[in-house]
Amino acid sequence: MDSKDTDPRQDEPQEVPAQLGNIFAEANMILPGVLSLLGLQVISTLNDVFLKQLGPVEHGLHLAAFILLAVGLALVVTPAAYHRQTAPYGIPANFARLATIYATLGLVPLMLAVSIDLYIITSLITKSVAISVILSGSLLAVFVGLWLVFPQVVAARRRAQGAEGPRDDKAAPRQPR
């Protein structure tokens, strides 16, 4: 294994083929959910509730959510398409980094689309813009926290530990609090 294939901040450095397997496995976990949401978006437009009870603003929001889901899907699938076309028999240089960027970027439109859909559903049920905004905004905050902030906090901690060198837990036992 080449030193350029490892990240000293990771718990266990991975060989490039293992990285590739993980990248595609992660995309395969996301894809069924996104495709299901896209299908539900299309089907809902044929529903009488959608046609009769939602106003033009909600119809516009629904369209925006559909477009955001499609963009999120495109971003999540891009690494696989890129790999198949640029290096079908190998692994392109910096592919793991590229796939990470696209997967992370793909989360943004997905979280926005689901939050918009929650706004539409909540406004339909409660007839309250305030409740709809609070709930959809709260869901968006949860997504941002779990999908963007939390991973960055963990990565920053790993970088800090990597800068300090390996920790020897046996040398200094923890004191009970």
Side-chain angles (χ1 to χ4, degrees):
M1 177 168 43
D2 229 347
S3 63
K4 67 180 180 181
D5 295 334
T6 64
D7 182 348
R9 299 166 300 233
Q10 282 187 319
D11 292 332
E12 296 178 29
Q14 296 178 326
E15 301 267 346
V16 173
Q19 289 177 6
L20 185 64
N22 288 339
I23 289 164
F24 291 135
E26 291 165 0
N28 284 332
M29 288 189 318
I30 295 170
L31 284 176
V34 174
L35 291 172
S36 296
L37 286 172
L38 279 169
L40 288 171
Q41 290 277 35
V42 170
I43 290 170
S44 67
T45 61
L46 305 174
N47 189 317
D48 283 343
V49 171
F50 180 84
L51 296 171
K52 295 177 182 171
Q53 293 185 13
L54 295 178
V57 171
E58 287 84 7
H59 286 147
L61 288 171
H62 184 78
L63 178 60
F66 182 83
I67 292 167
L68 286 167
L69 280 172
V71 169
L73 175 65
L75 288 167
V76 168
V77 173
T78 294
Y82 176 85
H83 176 255
R84 281 289 120 217
Q85 294 175 50
T86 61
Y89 304 108
I91 301 168
N94 297 319
F95 179 72
R97 182 161 177 71
L98 175 79
T100 299
I101 290 167
Y102 275 97
T104 303
L105 288 174
L107 294 175
V108 175
L110 294 177
M111 69 177 73
L112 290 170
V114 173
S115 298
I116 289 170
D117 281 338
L118 179 61
Y119 173 86
I120 294 169
I121 292 166
T122 305
S123 67
L124 184 64
I125 294 169
T126 66
K127 309 285 189 235
S128 170
V129 171
I131 292 172
S132 301
V133 168
I134 290 168
L135 289 178
S136 61
S138 297
L139 179 62
L140 182 59
V142 168
F143 281 143
V144 169
L146 292 175
W147 291 357
L148 301 176
V149 175
F150 175 66
Q152 291 302 313
V153 168
V154 171
R157 286 184 182 161
R158 284 186 176 170
R159 283 191 298 272
Q161 286 177 352
E164 295 169 6
R167 238 176 87 178
D168 187 6
D169 288 335
K170 294 178 184 175
R174 289 184 158 187
Q175 298 296 324
R177 293 182 182 186

